[in-house]
Amino acid sequence: MNELLLTDDERDRAGARLVALLDGYERGLPKADVLPALDRARLTELLTTPMPERGIGVDALFDRWEDTILPNSTTVAHPRFLAYVLGPPNGIAPYAEAVAAAINQNCNFWQLSPAASVVERAVLEWLASVVGFPPTSKGILTGGGSLATLQALTTALHDRVPDFHATGLQRDAAPLVVYTSVEAHRSVDKAAAILGIGLDNVRHVRTDERHRMDVHALRAAIEQDRRDGLRPWCVVATCGTVSTGSVDPLDAIADLCAAEDLWLHVDGAYGALFLLSEDMRPLMGGCARADSITLDPHKLLFASLEAGCVLVRDGAKLRDAHAFDSSYLTVADDELMTDYMDYGPQLSRNFKAFKVWSALQAFGVEAFRAANERTLELAQRLGRGIEATPGLTLLAPVTLTAVCFAVDGASPAAVLETLAAENVALLGPVVVAGKRGIRACITNHRTSTADIDLILERLHR
């Protein structure tokens, strides 16, 4: 007997209970609380109860999941969970995750995961085609947008700093400077700190009236740093800022980067996959001109966490930045396969591509295009409703799916607390141009017009 395997009877029971749990969770969503009241006694018990010497068994474990874990988890799949840029997983995700866990492929070098290597390549090549990158591009799936940005800036360092592998930044040279906007995601600052660039060498460029990076201010900052003897090196533009959903003027920034010989990275974790919609190409088609780009399939492709992505236009540069020789990992090259250990910092990696690939296979690209276009339409509906309601003030243009507004004479925190307590919706706080307000971010494929109208009706009252 193997102590770590289920018996035939236990396996049958676990399968039946899992199916029942998933079905019950799905059917219960319309009546669920988006933010459940926490049972602190049960959560405390999770900490204070010692790990058992003898296992509690399959049924007792499922009981614990159902009476403690699920009731004390935020209902991300609720149609009015609109607080963050985080959508619910698509319907096939739990099943794909289960299969990936069962086969437990290490997506490190191809001999450990041959089918996984090809699946990840297929997903990455499709994502590159959505962005408009050439066939020479390469990428890798990551734990999220922050790690993808870190890898992109690592690649830029290796490309623009001679002998970076050998010397790093421990050299007698002028400091490197990276430029981004005041609306950029904090992952840019975090990457600069981790890589040794230093926060003093991150320029947060002002934005225009639409909360987009001001290209004139960017040019002036670059010129000033050159006069001061510093080394302008990289610009991080944003395709969908977290606060307002604004999209930087990507083509103008790309023109400037080309003229100044700077690496252009686009943080498209929130917005770039709206490129699935042809209507969005005039706004964000400049993504195709970036040297690297961050995407998040766990946002607009509704993959279960985690599934981020970095793509690099010249794929050889991504490999040059991350490849190291290891004799004990060496296998024969195969033109069909990719050793993803050479394209990122990890060796052990799980099969993230499987859930993305499986969903695209199950539902088709058109389903994701339609879902994304629906969220854009719902955001416009909410924005129009706010503008039409006395006492509500729209704080920023609705560019993508972030809708920022204020309730006249009311504390944003009090409004948010009321909406959550009444189970109307979970929205989030925001600060726009120094003014505190409320943000709804519609990145939820379950959200309907009825949900938007319910929120508007409650705000009106």
Side-chain angles (χ1 to χ4, degrees), residues 218-244:
L218 173 61
R219 180 182 290 106
I222 293 168
E223 292 172 351
Q224 183 62 54
D225 283 330
R226 290 200 194 282
R227 286 194 295 269
D228 291 342
L230 304 177
R231 291 187 292 166
W233 152 66
C234 175
V235 175
V236 180
T238 307
C239 184
T241 59
V242 173
S243 294
T244 66

mmCIF file of all heavy atoms in Angstrom, residues 218-244:
data_model
loop_
_atom_site.group_PDB
_atom_site.id
_atom_site.type_symbol
_atom_site.label_atom_id
_atom_site.label_comp_id
_atom_site.label_asym_id
_atom_site.label_seq_id
_atom_site.Cartn_x
_atom_site.Cartn_y
_atom_site.Cartn_z
ATOM 1 N N LEU A 218 8.410 63.838 -21.706
ATOM 2 C CA LEU A 218 9.345 62.709 -21.809
ATOM 3 C C LEU A 218 10.599 63.133 -22.567
ATOM 4 O O LEU A 218 11.726 62.867 -22.119
ATOM 5 C CB LEU A 218 8.666 61.540 -22.521
ATOM 6 C CG LEU A 218 9.551 60.341 -22.868
ATOM 7 C CD1 LEU A 218 10.142 59.709 -21.616
ATOM 8 C CD2 LEU A 218 8.753 59.303 -23.667
ATOM 9 N N ARG A 219 10.419 63.810 -23.690
ATOM 10 C CA ARG A 219 11.573 64.256 -24.481
ATOM 11 C C ARG A 219 12.445 65.219 -23.656
ATOM 12 O O ARG A 219 13.683 65.098 -23.655
ATOM 13 C CB ARG A 219 11.096 64.937 -25.758
ATOM 14 C CG ARG A 219 12.259 65.441 -26.641
ATOM 15 C CD ARG A 219 11.772 66.155 -27.876
ATOM 16 N NE ARG A 219 11.159 65.224 -28.819
ATOM 17 C CZ ARG A 219 9.856 65.123 -29.046
ATOM 18 N NH1 ARG A 219 9.008 65.923 -28.379
ATOM 19 N NH2 ARG A 219 9.377 64.269 -29.920
ATOM 20 N N ALA A 220 11.808 66.116 -22.942
ATOM 21 C CA ALA A 220 12.569 67.077 -22.140
ATOM 22 C C ALA A 220 13.359 66.371 -21.042
ATOM 23 O O ALA A 220 14.512 66.743 -20.757
ATOM 24 C CB ALA A 220 11.612 68.101 -21.526
ATOM 25 N N ALA A 221 12.764 65.349 -20.425
ATOM 26 C CA ALA A 221 13.460 64.623 -19.357
ATOM 27 C C ALA A 221 14.678 63.883 -19.906
ATOM 28 O O ALA A 221 15.746 63.861 -19.272
ATOM 29 C CB ALA A 221 12.493 63.643 -18.689
ATOM 30 N N ILE A 222 14.531 63.277 -21.084
ATOM 31 C CA ILE A 222 15.650 62.565 -21.705
ATOM 32 C C ILE A 222 16.781 63.537 -22.026
ATOM 33 O O ILE A 222 17.963 63.274 -21.743
ATOM 34 C CB ILE A 222 15.171 61.840 -22.982
ATOM 35 C CG1 ILE A 222 14.193 60.715 -22.612
ATOM 36 C CG2 ILE A 222 16.355 61.283 -23.768
ATOM 37 C CD1 ILE A 222 13.453 60.127 -23.807
ATOM 38 N N GLU A 223 16.439 64.671 -22.615
ATOM 39 C CA GLU A 223 17.458 65.665 -22.970
ATOM 40 C C GLU A 223 18.178 66.191 -21.738
ATOM 41 O O GLU A 223 19.407 66.357 -21.742
ATOM 42 C CB GLU A 223 16.801 66.813 -23.746
ATOM 43 C CG GLU A 223 16.297 66.393 -25.130
ATOM 44 C CD GLU A 223 15.475 67.482 -25.810
ATOM 45 O OE1 GLU A 223 15.154 68.499 -25.128
ATOM 46 O OE2 GLU A 223 15.146 67.319 -26.991
ATOM 47 N N GLN A 224 17.433 66.431 -20.658
ATOM 48 C CA GLN A 224 18.045 66.937 -19.431
ATOM 49 C C GLN A 224 19.005 65.907 -18.845
ATOM 50 O O GLN A 224 20.116 66.260 -18.398
ATOM 51 C CB GLN A 224 16.970 67.299 -18.410
ATOM 52 C CG GLN A 224 17.520 67.903 -17.124
ATOM 53 C CD GLN A 224 18.243 69.215 -17.379
ATOM 54 O OE1 GLN A 224 17.693 70.140 -17.975
ATOM 55 N NE2 GLN A 224 19.511 69.304 -16.953
ATOM 56 N N ASP A 225 18.598 64.644 -18.838
ATOM 57 C CA ASP A 225 19.473 63.606 -18.276
ATOM 58 C C ASP A 225 20.740 63.444 -19.105
ATOM 59 O O ASP A 225 21.829 63.217 -18.564
ATOM 60 C CB ASP A 225 18.719 62.278 -18.179
ATOM 61 C CG ASP A 225 17.759 62.240 -17.000
ATOM 62 O OD1 ASP A 225 18.040 62.909 -15.992
ATOM 63 O OD2 ASP A 225 16.730 61.549 -17.090
ATOM 64 N N ARG A 226 20.632 63.570 -20.411
ATOM 65 C CA ARG A 226 21.839 63.493 -21.237
ATOM 66 C C ARG A 226 22.780 64.662 -20.907
ATOM 67 O O ARG A 226 24.006 64.487 -20.806
ATOM 68 C CB ARG A 226 21.471 63.504 -22.720
ATOM 69 C CG ARG A 226 20.791 62.225 -23.211
ATOM 70 C CD ARG A 226 20.905 62.102 -24.722
ATOM 71 N NE ARG A 226 20.016 61.096 -25.274
ATOM 72 C CZ ARG A 226 20.236 59.773 -25.248
ATOM 73 N NH1 ARG A 226 21.329 59.315 -24.667
ATOM 74 N NH2 ARG A 226 19.363 58.947 -25.795
ATOM 75 N N ARG A 227 22.226 65.855 -20.739
ATOM 76 C CA ARG A 227 23.064 67.015 -20.380
ATOM 77 C C ARG A 227 23.744 66.812 -19.034
ATOM 78 O O ARG A 227 24.862 67.287 -18.812
ATOM 79 C CB ARG A 227 22.212 68.288 -20.350
ATOM 80 C CG ARG A 227 21.833 68.798 -21.730
ATOM 81 C CD ARG A 227 21.285 70.225 -21.663
ATOM 82 N NE ARG A 227 20.029 70.295 -20.931
ATOM 83 C CZ ARG A 227 18.829 70.173 -21.488
ATOM 84 N NH1 ARG A 227 18.727 69.957 -22.808
ATOM 85 N NH2 ARG A 227 17.730 70.260 -20.772
ATOM 86 N N ASP A 228 23.049 66.085 -18.143
ATOM 87 C CA ASP A 228 23.601 65.851 -16.806
ATOM 88 C C ASP A 228 24.574 64.677 -16.764
ATOM 89 O O ASP A 228 25.056 64.305 -15.681
ATOM 90 C CB ASP A 228 22.460 65.597 -15.814
ATOM 91 C CG ASP A 228 21.617 66.838 -15.566
ATOM 92 O OD1 ASP A 228 22.098 67.956 -15.877
ATOM 93 O OD2 ASP A 228 20.480 66.696 -15.074
ATOM 94 N N GLY A 229 24.858 64.082 -17.914
ATOM 95 C CA GLY A 229 25.828 62.993 -17.964
ATOM 96 C C GLY A 229 25.272 61.627 -17.596
ATOM 97 O O GLY A 229 26.054 60.683 -17.365
ATOM 98 N N LEU A 230 23.961 61.510 -17.527
ATOM 99 C CA LEU A 230 23.337 60.228 -17.229
ATOM 100 C C LEU A 230 23.075 59.463 -18.530
ATOM 101 O O LEU A 230 23.255 59.998 -19.640
ATOM 102 C CB LEU A 230 22.041 60.446 -16.455
ATOM 103 C CG LEU A 230 22.181 61.253 -15.157
ATOM 104 C CD1 LEU A 230 20.823 61.458 -14.508
ATOM 105 C CD2 LEU A 230 23.141 60.576 -14.198
ATOM 106 N N ARG A 231 22.633 58.194 -18.404
ATOM 107 C CA ARG A 231 22.426 57.344 -19.577
ATOM 108 C C ARG A 231 20.952 56.957 -19.720
ATOM 109 O O ARG A 231 20.503 55.955 -19.151
ATOM 110 C CB ARG A 231 23.265 56.070 -19.473
ATOM 111 C CG ARG A 231 24.756 56.277 -19.604
ATOM 112 C CD ARG A 231 25.487 54.945 -19.655
ATOM 113 N NE ARG A 231 25.405 54.233 -18.386
ATOM 114 C CZ ARG A 231 25.723 52.944 -18.228
ATOM 115 N NH1 ARG A 231 26.105 52.227 -19.266
ATOM 116 N NH2 ARG A 231 25.637 52.380 -17.037
ATOM 117 N N PRO A 232 20.165 57.734 -20.460
ATOM 118 C CA PRO A 232 18.805 57.283 -20.774
ATOM 119 C C PRO A 232 18.878 55.926 -21.471
ATOM 120 O O PRO A 232 19.742 55.706 -22.337
ATOM 121 C CB PRO A 232 18.292 58.373 -21.709
ATOM 122 C CG PRO A 232 19.067 59.591 -21.324
ATOM 123 C CD PRO A 232 20.440 59.066 -20.998
ATOM 124 N N TRP A 233 17.976 55.036 -21.086
ATOM 125 C CA TRP A 233 18.158 53.632 -21.470
ATOM 126 C C TRP A 233 16.858 52.964 -21.896
ATOM 127 O O TRP A 233 16.793 52.262 -22.891
ATOM 128 C CB TRP A 233 18.789 52.904 -20.274
ATOM 129 C CG TRP A 233 18.500 51.458 -20.147
ATOM 130 C CD1 TRP A 233 18.903 50.462 -20.997
ATOM 131 C CD2 TRP A 233 17.749 50.810 -19.117
ATOM 132 N NE1 TRP A 233 18.441 49.244 -20.545
ATOM 133 C CE2 TRP A 233 17.742 49.434 -19.390
ATOM 134 C CE3 TRP A 233 17.096 51.279 -17.978
ATOM 135 C CZ2 TRP A 233 17.081 48.517 -18.571
ATOM 136 C CZ3 TRP A 233 16.454 50.363 -17.160
ATOM 137 C CH2 TRP A 233 16.453 48.999 -17.466
ATOM 138 N N CYS A 234 15.753 53.237 -21.185
ATOM 139 C CA CYS A 234 14.529 52.466 -21.415
ATOM 140 C C CYS A 234 13.317 53.324 -21.089
ATOM 141 O O CYS A 234 13.338 54.106 -20.131
ATOM 142 C CB CYS A 234 14.547 51.217 -20.519
ATOM 143 S SG CYS A 234 13.052 50.215 -20.576
ATOM 144 N N VAL A 235 12.278 53.165 -21.888
ATOM 145 C CA VAL A 235 10.990 53.797 -21.619
ATOM 146 C C VAL A 235 9.957 52.694 -21.421
ATOM 147 O O VAL A 235 9.882 51.759 -22.223
ATOM 148 C CB VAL A 235 10.548 54.722 -22.771
ATOM 149 C CG1 VAL A 235 9.148 55.275 -22.516
ATOM 150 C CG2 VAL A 235 11.543 55.859 -22.957
ATOM 151 N N VAL A 236 9.171 52.802 -20.359
ATOM 152 C CA VAL A 236 8.066 51.877 -20.121
ATOM 153 C C VAL A 236 6.761 52.637 -20.334
ATOM 154 O O VAL A 236 6.389 53.501 -19.528
ATOM 155 C CB VAL A 236 8.100 51.273 -18.704
ATOM 156 C CG1 VAL A 236 6.927 50.314 -18.511
ATOM 157 C CG2 VAL A 236 9.422 50.546 -18.463
ATOM 158 N N ALA A 237 6.100 52.344 -21.443
ATOM 159 C CA ALA A 237 4.795 52.938 -21.732
ATOM 160 C C ALA A 237 3.708 51.993 -21.228
ATOM 161 O O ALA A 237 3.958 50.808 -21.001
ATOM 162 C CB ALA A 237 4.645 53.176 -23.232
ATOM 163 N N THR A 238 2.518 52.523 -21.049
ATOM 164 C CA THR A 238 1.429 51.736 -20.476
ATOM 165 C C THR A 238 0.249 51.659 -21.431
ATOM 166 O O THR A 238 -0.226 52.674 -21.924
ATOM 167 C CB THR A 238 0.958 52.335 -19.136
ATOM 168 O OG1 THR A 238 2.082 52.489 -18.271
ATOM 169 C CG2 THR A 238 -0.062 51.423 -18.466
ATOM 170 N N CYS A 239 -0.200 50.440 -21.664
ATOM 171 C CA CYS A 239 -1.402 50.203 -22.469
ATOM 172 C C CYS A 239 -2.505 49.746 -21.517
ATOM 173 O O CYS A 239 -2.752 48.562 -21.347
ATOM 174 C CB CYS A 239 -1.126 49.148 -23.546
ATOM 175 S SG CYS A 239 -2.511 48.864 -24.660
ATOM 176 N N GLY A 240 -3.107 50.734 -20.855
ATOM 177 C CA GLY A 240 -4.138 50.447 -19.867
ATOM 178 C C GLY A 240 -3.620 50.660 -18.461
ATOM 179 O O GLY A 240 -3.167 49.720 -17.806
ATOM 180 N N THR A 241 -3.647 51.911 -17.977
ATOM 181 C CA THR A 241 -3.202 52.159 -16.610
ATOM 182 C C THR A 241 -4.209 51.580 -15.627
ATOM 183 O O THR A 241 -5.407 51.515 -15.898
ATOM 184 C CB THR A 241 -3.036 53.662 -16.342
ATOM 185 O OG1 THR A 241 -4.280 54.320 -16.571
ATOM 186 C CG2 THR A 241 -1.976 54.265 -17.244
ATOM 187 N N VAL A 242 -3.700 51.165 -14.475
ATOM 188 C CA VAL A 242 -4.556 50.498 -13.498
ATOM 189 C C VAL A 242 -5.650 51.429 -12.989
ATOM 190 O O VAL A 242 -6.801 51.019 -12.807
ATOM 191 C CB VAL A 242 -3.711 49.958 -12.331
ATOM 192 C CG1 VAL A 242 -4.608 49.418 -11.228
ATOM 193 C CG2 VAL A 242 -2.788 48.857 -12.816
ATOM 194 N N SER A 243 -5.328 52.696 -12.763
ATOM 195 C CA SER A 243 -6.308 53.602 -12.167
ATOM 196 C C SER A 243 -7.427 53.965 -13.129
ATOM 197 O O SER A 243 -8.612 53.818 -12.814
ATOM 198 C CB SER A 243 -5.617 54.879 -11.676
ATOM 199 O OG SER A 243 -4.737 54.593 -10.618
ATOM 200 N N THR A 244 -7.074 54.451 -14.315
ATOM 201 C CA THR A 244 -8.087 55.002 -15.214
ATOM 202 C C THR A 244 -8.238 54.258 -16.532
ATOM 203 O O THR A 244 -9.135 54.559 -17.309
ATOM 204 C CB THR A 244 -7.770 56.474 -15.541
ATOM 205 O OG1 THR A 244 -6.544 56.534 -16.292
ATOM 206 C CG2 THR A 244 -7.627 57.306 -14.271
#
